[in-house]
Structure formats: C-alpha cells, structure tokens
Amino acid sequence: MARGLAVFLAVLFLFAPSARAAGEPSLTEVLSELRALQAELRKKDREIEALRRELSELKSRLAEKEPSVAAPSGPAKKAPEISPPVKRIAFGGQYRINSYSVHTHRKTLNASRLRIRQNLDLVFDSRLRSHLQVELGHTHANLTTTEKRLKVRHAVLSYAFGGGFSAEAGILPLSDRARDMLYSADWDYNPLALALYYRSKRLGDFRLFAAELDEGEEDLAHDDFVHYELDWERKFSPGLKLSLFALYAEVAENYANPAGGPSEHTRPHLNYGGMLTWKPREDLTLRAALIGSFTDREILGTPDDASGWLLRLEAEKTFGPAALFLLFTHASGDKDGEGFLPLMALSGTYGYWGYTGILTVQGPTDTGFDDTAVNVSNNGYGLTTFQARLSYDFSERLRLWLAAGWFGDTEARGRDSTVGYDFLGMLTLRLHRYLTLDLGLDFAHLEDSVNGYADRSFNFNPGDEEDKLAVFSRLQAEF
C-alpha cells in the first residue's frame, strides 16, 4: 500500500507542468520527501499488523474461558447458532396530554388527562409481520389507577400470500370507505377480525372481512354482534377514485335497547353505498357519497324497522398557504329514530366525520366533554349539516384553524328541529417534527334535540337548551 502510494505521487509529479515558480522545491527534494513518507507508511503498516496479532490472541484467550456446552456424560456438542427471527423492529406511538375548561349553565369541568399509545411493529420477512399497540387510556387518578386503564388496542398478524393477496387476523383497526361516517379505527373500532385483501392496479383493491364486536354469552349461539363486509376501491386516474361497499351485521335483539332485556336471537343491520373522489386540479378536491341503511326493529326496540339514506358532498380548495373546506350532509330521519343509521350508532363508537369541536369532534376536543357530539344522522332522527373550515399556515410551524357548523332538520318527536350551531378556533404550533401544541376555543349552542353518539339518548329534557364554551389544549408527540 505504501509503495504504491509513493509511485503514484512520483508519477503525478513527473507529468505535472515542468515550469515552477521560484522558490519551489526541486525534483530531488520532492523525491527525498516521498522516500521519507514511504518509510513512515511502512512503519504504520507494521504497527497495524502487530495490533491485529494482539487482537487475535485476546479472542483465543476469551474462547478458552467460555464454559463448555458438552453434556457431562456425553460427547461434546456444538453450541447452537441463534439468528434473530426479526429483520426489523419499529416503535411508533402517540403521547398526548389534553387539558380543558368547559362551562355551561349546568356545570363546569376542569381537567388534564394523559393518554399513551405505544406500538411494537415486527417485520419477520417480506411475507410475515405483526403490529401491537398498547394504550394507557385517559387517566383520572394518576397516582393510583393508571395501571387499571392499560389495555391492548391493536394486535395484528399480517401475511402476504403473493400475487396481490394478503390477510390480517387479530384485534384489527378497521375504518370504513366513507370518511369515518359509518365506523372508524381512530375511535376504537378495533374488533377481533379476519380480513382478506386483494390489490391489483388493474382491478382495484378488494377487502373482505368478518369482525366480532361482542361475543355475548358463550352458551347462547345467537346473541352476538358480528360485522361482515365486502368493499372495493379503484383509481381510474390520478384524480379519480371510486369506492363501493356493503356491510351486513348480525346484531342481538335489543342491543340498542337495554330496557328490552336479554336476547337469544340476532337481527340484521345493513349499510351500503359508494363514494366518488374527483381531483380536477391540483388545488381542488371534490367528494360525493351516497349511502343507504336498514336496521331491524328488534335491535332498536322500535315499532317499525329503521331505514334511510345519507348524502355527503365535500369540497377542498387550497389558496397558497390557506385551505378552505366545505361540507354538506343530509341523513333522512324519523320521529321515532327509525331513519338512516350508521353502524357506529349500534356499536356506540364514533368518528372524526365533521369539522367542529363540540357537535362533532377534533383530536384536541375528543376528551371529557364529547358527550354532545352527534353522529351523521343524530341516531336515526335525521340530520342536515352545513360546515366550513379554513386553515392558514403562517409558517411551517404555526397554523390557524377556524370552523363553523349548523346542525338541524331533525325530526325527533316533540323536540326542536334545530340541533345547534358550533364555532371553533384553534392554533397549532409545531415544536418539533413529531411534537405539536394545540390551543383552542369552541362555543356551541345546543337545543333539546341533541342525541349524543354514545347510547341513543337525548342529552336534554324537552324544551331545554344550553350554551357550551370550551377552552382546551393538547400537547402531542406522534411518531
């Protein structure tokens, strides 16, 4: 190595321009310096070789000190070679602290709550992987009861068969193909399920799954809550996408009517429809969804079966650092709650389907005071909404959110047709790539026809109304 370097430098010097400025070293002087450098490099080579021999001797001594793996009375056995079964490990998660102060004429709420979601993702090879998410739910008594709120939220085994076919099994996070209006993994729709997928650039993406939401009593064969679904999604061009879906749920009688008593039979619930997404320009996105529903009367404890339809129209337009979102929804209703029903109305879950912070929810407002949030049909009594949201980026680190919504046209018997109106203002400060701080204010006027998402019960007595003011913050790291 040293000899080659010396020869290279000598050749480079000889082929350099022969003219040199006065005072520069002569060729003889340069060659003398190169010979000295060559001698120094040879010395370094000898030192490196000596270090290698010393390292080899140390390894031999350590090997002699290791305990033998031979059995006491048998021949010596070679120590087993252990290779790690996992090719890649990832630790994603979400750490957040929600704080709020909520004021109505009935009560004042003040609280701070911590929630942690920690992921463990293992990739065994190109076919097999797993996903585990452990959650510490929103804490209350932080010193004594945090461990009681620890639970497994996701537990997924994924296997790729090849040729576009794959499968998942376990506690799966499942979301609909309809912008979280039917059910949403973001709002704890994580049932025990088996899902089969087929993905094709030409034919589109297919999903078929069976999900058990509630086992009921094991000695009763027909008191469960099981969700079956087939859906399909295909991009016809970069700016045009169509989604179609049909879900069928077997739901125990009186599941949404606790006063009706136990059941030994299941009844059907259906949601079916499609959504079209069109992006005619880079700065404009349009969406339209049409969905139908049917729910057997024995599930609800109502005089008649529930059925109806839902229309959703949405537009998003960007203007440089600003973006404007407009949303119209209409779900048909009935005075006895026998109109359109999304699956979430039966499961008692929810989704981030709207723009506001009290009558619908956002991430920073989904804790502690979301009892007056309504689903897209006000639990079958019907609902029409007009909502708008404006975001403006002052910089890469600071964003302003403004939103407003009117909720009405409900048909609840003996109650106001207007559900309420809601105004939201929020600042989002990005402190780090993974860390944000949200600060906001929300005001909503609520009428007696508010029927919160959780249990199909009205929040107020007939004739009552309420003003609700919330000041809130959220510190969140997501990675």
Side-chain angles (χ1 to χ4, degrees), residues 281-348:
R281 299 198 305 268
E282 188 63 30
D283 60 350
L284 178 64
T285 302
L286 304 173
R287 297 185 185 90
L290 183 63
I291 307 172
S293 78
F294 171 85
T295 310
D296 190 281
R297 71 189 75 182
E298 299 296 338
I299 299 173
L300 308 172
T302 55
D304 300 306
D305 296 333
S307 61
W309 58 276
L310 165 69
L311 174 66
R312 176 185 176 115
L313 302 174
E314 188 174 22
E316 300 178 12
K317 179 72 169 69
T318 58
F319 307 87
L324 177 65
F325 304 78
L326 299 174
L327 175 63
F328 167 81
T329 67
H330 174 76
S332 62
D334 177 85
K335 59 183 180 297
D336 295 316
E338 299 168 352
F340 176 87
L341 282 172
L343 185 62
M344 67 172 62
L346 306 180
S347 63

Side-chain angles (χ1 to χ4, degrees), residues 111-185:
S112 292
R113 296 184 178 182
L114 167 73
R115 189 186 75 189
I116 298 174
R117 290 174 177 169
Q118 182 62 63
N119 299 344
L120 173 60
D121 293 282
L122 306 178
V123 177
F124 298 91
D125 54 34
S126 60
R127 290 181 177 269
L128 181 63
R129 62 184 61 203
S130 69
H131 164 70
L132 175 70
Q133 185 178 91
V134 178
E135 177 182 87
L136 174 64
H138 296 293
T139 58
H140 295 270
N142 296 324
L143 293 178
T144 58
T145 63
T146 50
E147 71 281 0
K148 296 179 182 180
R149 304 184 68 83
L150 193 65
K151 62 182 180 180
V152 173
R153 190 165 181 263
H154 302 159
V156 183
L157 283 174
S158 300
Y159 185 78
F161 297 98
F165 290 93
S166 62
E168 291 183 336
I171 303 175
L172 305 187
L174 296 175
S175 291
D176 61 29
R177 302 286 196 188
R179 303 284 288 175
D180 285 1
M181 294 188 295
L182 303 179
Y183 58 93
S184 172

Side-chain angles (χ1 to χ4, degrees), residues 412 414-419 446-451 458-466:
R415 294 176 181 270
D416 201 301
S417 65
T418 298
V419 175
L446 310 172
E447 295 289 350
D448 63 351
S449 51
V450 173
N451 197 293
F458 289 101
N459 292 68
F460 309 109
N461 294 323
D464 289 350
E465 60 183 44
E466 180 175 272

Side-chain angles (χ1 to χ4, degrees), residues 228-463:
Y228 304 95
E229 180 165 340
L230 172 63
D231 54 50
W232 169 80
E233 190 171 82
R234 185 178 187 275
K235 279 190 173 182
F236 291 91
S237 69
L240 185 64
K241 181 173 67 175
L242 177 64
S243 303
L244 299 175
F245 46 86
L247 72 84
Y248 170 81
E250 290 186 347
V251 187
E253 291 178 347
N254 296 316
Y255 193 89
N257 178 35
S263 169
E264 296 184 7
H265 301 281
T266 56
R267 302 289 181 174
H269 167 84
L270 292 86
N271 285 124
Y272 47 89
M275 186 172 72
L276 183 67
T277 301
W278 182 37
K279 195 168 185 176
R281 299 198 305 268
E282 188 63 30
D283 60 350
L284 178 64
T285 302
L286 304 173
R287 297 185 185 90
L290 183 63
I291 307 172
S293 78
F294 171 85
T295 310
D296 190 281
R297 71 189 75 182
E298 299 296 338
I299 299 173
L300 308 172
T302 55
D304 300 306
D305 296 333
S307 61
W309 58 276
L310 165 69
L311 174 66
R312 176 185 176 115
L313 302 174
E314 188 174 22
E316 300 178 12
K317 179 72 169 69
T318 58
F319 307 87
L324 177 65
F325 304 78
L326 299 174
L327 175 63
F328 167 81
T329 67
H330 174 76
S332 62
D334 177 85
K335 59 183 180 297
D336 295 316
E338 299 168 352
F340 176 87
L341 282 172
L343 185 62
M344 67 172 62
L346 306 180
S347 63
T349 57
Y350 199 54
Y352 298 96
W353 69 273
Y355 295 165
T356 62
I358 291 178
L359 279 167
T360 65
V361 298
Q362 308 304 308
T365 70
D366 69 357
T367 306
F369 59 96
D370 57 10
D371 58 310
T372 51
V374 296
N375 59 43
V376 75
S377 72
N378 200 31
N379 275 328
Y381 292 96
L383 184 67
T384 299
T385 78
F386 295 92
Q387 301 178 61
R389 178 171 65 197
L390 175 69
S391 68
Y392 186 86
D393 293 334
F394 293 97
S395 67
E396 292 182 355
R397 294 183 175 272
L398 184 62
R399 173 176 291 178
L400 171 68
W401 302 87
L402 297 173
W406 176 87
F407 300 73
D409 196 26
T410 196
E411 299 185 25
R413 188 193 304 272
R415 294 176 181 270
D416 201 301
S417 65
T418 298
V419 175
Y421 45 84
D422 194 353
F423 303 94
L424 168 69
M426 184 171 69
L427 281 173
T428 298
L429 177 63
R430 182 161 295 281
L431 304 172
H432 183 271
R433 179 182 178 184
Y434 305 116
L435 181 65
T436 57
L437 174 64
D438 300 297
L439 302 169
L441 178 72
D442 195 294
F443 171 80
H445 176 74
L446 310 172
E447 295 289 350
D448 63 351
S449 51
V450 173
N451 197 293
Y453 72 88
D455 58 8
R456 302 190 74 246
S457 299
F458 289 101
N459 292 68
F460 309 109
N461 294 323

Side-chain angles (χ1 to χ4, degrees), residues 212 214-217 220-226 250-252 266:
E212 186 173 68
D214 192 340
E215 173 66 38
E217 298 295 331
L220 297 177
H222 303 290
D223 67 336
D224 304 338
F225 188 161
V226 184
E250 290 186 347
V251 187
T266 56

